[in-house]
Amino acid sequence: MGGDKPRQEPIEIGGVSVTPGTRVTIDLPLSLLSNHTPITMPVQVVHGRRPGPRLFLSAALHGDEVNGVEIIRRLLKLSACQNIRGTLIAVPIVNVYGFISQTRYLPDRRDLNRSFPGSAEGSLAAQLAHFFMSEIVPKCSHGIDLHTAAIHRTNMPQIRGDLSDPGAKIMAMASGLPLILNAALRQGSLRQAARQVGVPVIVYEAGEALRFDEIAIRAGVRGIVRIMRALGMARQRDISRENVSPVIVRSSFWVRAPVGGILRTPRLATQVAAGDTLGIIADPFGESETDVVAKDGGILIGRTNLPIVNQGDGLFHIARVSDADAAAEAVDTFQDDLDQGVAPQEGVAPQETEFS
């Protein structure tokens, strides 16, 4: 019949066939631990009835980065994930080994996000990367990789992506995040490996390791919903009132500790000017004090949370922007919106953004 809507074909993940219009959780077998305990990678597949993009969401590539796990959990409960076009493949815990032990790395001390595309016969990290590249990435047309800062650091919500890739740029600009870092592909990263097989991937960075950050989680959920709508996966809503014009960041730098000691931060604003004192490092007796000074201006996008610092430690991460005033205003507006719960204008009800 001419009026029939086209239907998707079933999708197969880990040998399990998922029919259109269904949602299935699959435990992909990885290995056995030394005590014979089986380890699996949990995946949820939301396979729409109608054809469309196939988007993967990955979190906890670094096992201690837990914000992304909660972002995916909340997202899967939203109405935006009902009756989607295309397919959503959610992998909330990629580095299962690190997640269990609450550590960034794998048991072999390797960084999974420097081990792609991996190898079936390589190290544990290489095998896990190869597994993800074999089972997940080739089934998809787009990807979003969710991260936080490393332990004892925090990042403000931001998107990182190679904006020379049209697919990555569409997702980045649709996210609603105030700052987008035009980041080159890094050797061994998931972004680079996916790009090599034609799948554009962006990274969402926000919050800190081993801690939930409510602003970071809300921004991540809202951003993914916006991206799904931009890709045509979810039903459009009225989003004509745009509060944030994203600022593209071309470069950034770290302000490092000139000496070791105890760090205190007398002021910590969003906007930084060249010559600003960002912190003061003192010895434990208070007999000597050294200012930590910004060598250039920009927007603060990351910082250490530790007051105990060694000489050369990265303390403050600053993004260079062409218009610092406009960037600061965009960041402040974005944070105010999330604080005031404006998610309903994006179609996300307040009760859907709370813990449950």
Side-chain angles (χ1 to χ4, degrees):
M1 295 177 61
D4 289 347
K5 295 180 179 179
R7 289 175 59 91
Q8 291 208 88
E9 296 296 322
I11 185 173
E12 184 174 306
I13 303 286
V16 177
S17 180
V18 182
T19 58
T22 63
R23 179 187 297 219
V24 177
T25 299
I26 304 168
D27 288 316
L28 300 178
L30 293 176
S31 68
L32 294 176
L33 295 180
S34 56
N35 64 352
H36 204 69
T37 301
I39 292 292
T40 64
M41 180 187 294
V43 176
Q44 187 163 113
V45 181
V46 183
H47 196 39
R49 295 182 183 277
R50 291 173 290 173
R54 292 185 173 183
L55 173 69
F56 79 76
L57 304 176
S58 57
L61 255 74
H62 297 130
D64 59 358
E65 297 182 359
V66 298
N67 272 338
V69 181
E70 177 64 8
I71 288 170
I72 291 177
R73 186 194 73 83
R74 293 192 196 185
L75 180 83
L76 290 171
K77 296 181 67 176
L78 298 183
S79 58
C81 289
Q82 306 296 325
N83 301 318
I84 66 170
R85 291 179 179 268
T87 307
L88 182 66
I89 301 178
V91 191
I93 306 168
V94 179
N95 181 359
V96 182
Y97 307 94
F99 185 81
I100 292 171
S101 59
Q102 301 175 16
T103 183
R104 178 182 180 90
Y105 302 108
L106 286 132
D108 60 5
R109 294 299 300 165
R110 286 178 167 85
D111 185 333
L112 180 58
N113 208 29
R114 297 295 178 268
S115 303
F116 286 91
S119 166
E121 306 298 329
S123 67
L124 179 61
Q127 290 185 36
L128 183 54
H130 174 79
F131 183 84
F132 193 83
M133 288 300 299
S134 301
E135 286 290 346
I136 304 299
V137 175
K139 313 291 175 67
C140 299
S141 61
H142 300 76
I144 303 174
D145 190 22
L146 307 174
H147 285 264
T148 75
I151 193 166
H152 303 314
R153 290 179 176 172
T154 189
N155 284 334
M156 71 162 292
Q158 60 195 257
I159 293 291
R160 299 182 183 182
D162 180 4
L163 301 186
S164 68
D165 181 336
K169 185 173 183 178
I170 288 172
M171 289 190 289
M173 299 302 290
S175 69
L177 273 292
L179 293 178
I180 299 172
L181 278 67
N182 187 22
L185 299 173
R186 300 193 67 169
Q187 184 69 32
S189 67
L190 172 58
R191 276 202 304 138
Q192 183 202 47
R195 173 75 172 271
Q196 289 176 343
V197 296
V199 179
V201 175
I202 61 171
V203 168
Y204 173 65
E205 286 268 3
E208 63 178 307
L210 294 176
R211 297 288 186 272
F212 279 165
D213 181 308
E214 184 62 25
I215 291 295
I217 293 167
R218 281 196 206 175
V221 173
R222 188 174 76 167
I224 293 171
V225 171
R226 289 175 58 95
I227 290 169
M228 289 174 64
R229 288 175 178 152
L231 294 178
M233 296 179 67
R235 184 161 56 94
Q236 293 289 339
R237 296 287 181 89
D238 180 11
I239 55 174
S240 58
R241 185 172 62 87
E242 294 289 353
N243 291 321
V244 175
S245 297
V247 175
I248 296 176
V249 177
R250 301 295 179 182
S251 66
S252 64
F253 64 94
W254 278 94
V255 178
R256 298 190 176 276
V259 296
I262 312 300
L263 171 70
R264 66 183 191 274
T265 53
R267 60 172 299 277
L268 195 60
T270 300
Q271 187 173 349
V272 174
D276 278 357
T277 297
L278 304 177
I280 299 170
I281 299 175
D283 66 38
F285 304 104
E287 294 176 347
S288 67
E289 293 191 341
T290 303
D291 290 347
V292 180
V293 178
K295 63 182 180 181
D296 204 351
I299 299 297
L300 185 70
I301 60 173
R303 57 162 295 183
T304 182
N305 289 328
L306 278 179
I308 304 165
V309 301
N310 293 306
Q311 184 172 321
D313 285 352
L315 304 182
F316 305 101
H317 193 193
I318 298 174
R320 293 186 177 96
V321 292
S322 57
D323 188 339
D325 290 335
E329 183 178 354
V331 170
D332 291 343
T333 300
F334 168 80
Q335 291 177 333
D336 288 345
D337 282 352
L338 288 174
D339 286 337
Q340 295 169 13
V342 297
Q345 80 179 59
E346 303 289 351
V348 181
Q351 64 268 24
E352 293 177 316
T353 65
E354 300 298 329
F355 290 103
S356 58

